[in-house]
Amino acid sequence: MQFTTLNNGVAMPLLGFGVYQIPAEDTERAVSDALAAGYRLLDTAAAYGNEEAVGRAIKSSGIAREDLFVTTKLWVQDAPAEDNTRRAFETSLNKLGLDHLDLYLMHQPFGDVYGQWRAMEALNREGGTRAIGVANFYPDRLIDLIVNNEITPAVNQIETHPFFQRAGYQDLMHAHGVRIQSWGGFAEGRNGLFTHPVLAEIGEECDRSVAQIVLRWLTQRGVIAIPKSVRPERMAENIDVFGFELTDEQMARIATLDTGGSLFFDHHDPEVVSWLAKRRLDV
Ligand code: NAP
């Protein structure tokens, strides 16, 4: 496994396993299979409803805590956000059966972002989580958060895949010490990703699958990837991406696939904002 170093010196695997949309009843098995396949970075969220199952798989794996990198995410909190963030964090930690997190992310750039972030800074200083970061922050919101707070987010987890590549934003983030992490690295298969002719052609040249080409392309750019699969054979395929390299010419061909826009939702769309911000979790 290759690692990247976060802005506070913490080492984070460049490739991990995401559990979004895995039903709670299937998650323990999926995470156990992923750990057996060699994944050590696990990405869940309070909003996914499967933290307890992730925790059970961690416990039964017998893998030393220091060898794992566990991320979960804070959902949008009502005011007073500082109290509620702390309670949400404790709830997640209890469900996971852990005494600390490796990375705690603010899941959405909505609600009392500043109250949430101050609480996350305190949790980080107290050692409750080794690093803190954000998700779904567009450049304006990210820079605002950085310039008006003490701790710079270690990570921004954003939609990043061959059809929405984020190269310019990645440069901006790295200039500020924020690592980019891809969600939806396969675009969940949208736009015919797994059979796309350009990706398939490069796959043939490298004797690799399209999924492996995409994950190699992400990690070769320094983007942290967390592919999701419930199938052990795909888990094995998806983690086997460090034994080959894409040429500059192959990277350039993939760069042509960028559409510059989301395939999922726009965090600037008022309807999306009110839909996401209205959802509340019982913590
Ligand atoms: P994804 O990883 O882009 O795609 C997952 C889909 O690809 C599943 O349908 C999976 O099917 C299929 N797949 C996986 N490996 C494959 C392979 N080798 N060949 C063919 N198909 C394959 O989607 P995602 O789950 O949305 O994103 C990844 C992770 O990012 C999530 O699990 C979550 O941890 C995180 N995320 C975060 C946010 C956020 O707001 N912060 C949003 C979305 C996702 P099978 O399972 O049947 O194999």
Side-chain angles (χ1 to χ4, degrees):
M1 180 53 61
Q2 291 182 4
F3 288 79
T4 188
T5 304
L6 303 180
N7 60 18
N8 61 359
V10 168
M12 178 171 184
L14 207 44
L15 187 71
F17 184 69
V19 299
Y20 178 47
Q21 290 172 335
I22 304 183
E25 62 273 21
D26 300 334
T27 302
E28 183 176 351
R29 185 202 55 74
V31 174
S32 296
D33 288 346
L35 291 170
Y39 293 84
R40 292 297 178 264
L41 158 59
L42 301 174
D43 184 273
T44 184
Y48 300 170
N50 54 18
E51 289 171 310
E52 281 162 314
V54 171
R56 285 195 299 276
I58 290 173
K59 193 170 179 197
S60 65
S61 74
I63 296 169
R65 176 68 187 90
E66 60 269 25
D67 292 335
L68 293 171
F69 191 103
V70 182
T71 303
T72 193
K73 310 186 192 83
L74 171 74
W75 192 247
V76 180
Q77 293 301 301
D78 291 308
E82 281 167 278
D83 295 347
N84 288 336
T85 295
R86 192 168 280 275
R87 197 165 63 242
F89 174 80
E90 296 297 342
T91 301
S92 285
L93 214 52
N94 287 339
K95 285 186 174 175
L96 286 161
L98 300 176
D99 65 0
H100 70 278
L101 287 179
D102 297 286
L103 179 62
Y104 196 38
L105 299 179
M106 191 187 305
H107 205 148
Q108 301 291 349
F110 303 134
D112 180 6
V113 167
Y114 286 90
Q116 293 173 160
W117 189 251
R118 277 193 298 275
M120 291 170 70
E121 287 181 326
L123 292 166
N124 184 215
R125 287 194 194 96
E126 292 162 12
T129 178
R130 295 168 70 221
I132 53 175
V134 295
N136 298 305
F137 271 57
Y138 275 72
D140 52 342
R141 297 291 85 214
L142 182 71
I143 300 304
D144 183 65
L145 191 75
I146 291 171
V147 298
N148 289 302
N149 287 283
E150 285 177 18
I151 299 181
T152 293
V155 165
N156 185 15
Q157 184 182 110
I158 51 174
E159 178 187 347
T160 311
H161 47 70
F163 309 121
F164 193 20
Q165 303 194 0
R166 307 298 194 110
Y169 191 19
Q170 176 177 3
D171 291 343
L172 180 76
M173 282 193 259
H174 282 191
H176 286 271
V178 183
R179 308 307 296 182
I180 177 173
Q181 182 171 31
S182 150
W183 68 249
F186 298 141
E188 295 180 5
R190 292 182 190 196
N191 266 13
L193 179 134
F194 291 113
T195 53
H196 193 284
V198 170
L199 299 172
E201 184 181 48
I202 297 172
E204 271 177 32
E205 291 162 14
C206 299
D207 199 17
R208 297 286 180 153
S209 69
V210 165
Q212 289 174 317
I213 297 301
V214 170
L215 293 170
R216 180 66 219 179
W217 166 76
L218 284 168
T219 52
Q220 199 164 309
R221 284 176 53 197
V223 179
I224 305 158
I226 40 169
K228 170 263 174 187
S229 178
V230 293
R231 305 175 202 223
E233 67 279 11
R234 288 180 177 172
M235 295 174 191
E237 177 186 333
N238 294 348
I239 202 174
D240 180 20
V241 297
F242 295 109
F244 73 108
E245 259 188 49
L246 297 170
T247 64
D248 290 346
E249 187 275 329
Q250 289 167 331
M251 294 292 279
R253 257 188 286 159
I254 298 174
T256 65
L257 305 184
D258 194 12
T259 67
S262 171
L263 294 192
F264 292 85
F265 36 61
D266 177 358
H267 281 75
H268 295 114
D269 178 343
E271 285 191 14
V272 170
V273 175
S274 56
W275 169 63
L276 287 171
K278 266 188 210 142
R279 183 171 175 214
R280 284 293 186 269
L281 299 183
D282 190 16
V283 290

